[in-house]
Amino acid sequence: MSMKAARQRQKALRDANRKARRPDRDDVARVALYWLIRRAVEKGETAELEKFQDVIVAMLAQQGFDEGESDAVFDDLVAKYSSGGLPFRRKTHLLFPDAVEDDA
């Protein structure tokens, strides 16, 4: 399969998933991480959260990411997610699908 055909196939798949309002792996992972961090913070389970962070940072380091930077990113997420409210951008194409279709 040529690169152009592969790109067209992926675009068609993304478009179909968007139309079906189907979350992808990253959407699920983002919400799951938010829920896990918020739950740990609200229950005062800081030791468990630190263990989780150690595992995640180690796994990122095994993939080649800088350990200190990975630790800092995780700390930033904990701070952001602990501050309250949902830290995600609204998916306007999901909330107002008719408006997106009108623009196309």
Side-chain angles (χ1 to χ4, degrees), residues 16-102:
N17 284 344
R18 186 176 299 118
K19 186 174 183 172
R21 298 172 54 167
R22 178 185 175 95
D24 66 15
R25 174 195 62 201
D26 292 343
D27 295 315
V28 173
R30 187 178 307 109
V31 172
L33 181 60
Y34 170 79
W35 177 83
L36 189 143
I37 290 173
R38 286 294 301 220
R39 185 171 179 268
V41 168
E42 287 170 1
K43 291 186 170 215
E45 296 174 348
T46 55
E48 287 301 311
L49 186 56
E50 288 174 9
K51 284 185 208 176
F52 179 70
Q53 180 172 350
D54 290 345
V55 170
I56 297 302
V57 168
M59 292 174 76
L60 289 167
Q62 287 174 349
Q63 292 180 39
F65 291 101
D66 181 81
E67 187 172 343
E69 291 296 324
S70 298
D71 213 31
V73 167
F74 197 98
D75 284 339
D76 290 346
L77 286 173
V78 170
K80 182 178 182 179
Y81 293 174
S82 299
S83 66
L86 287 175
F88 310 116
R89 281 190 245 149
R90 292 173 14 141
K91 304 282 187 174
T92 55
H93 66 281
L94 298 175
L95 297 170
F96 308 105
D98 294 336
V100 173
E101 288 176 14
D102 291 343

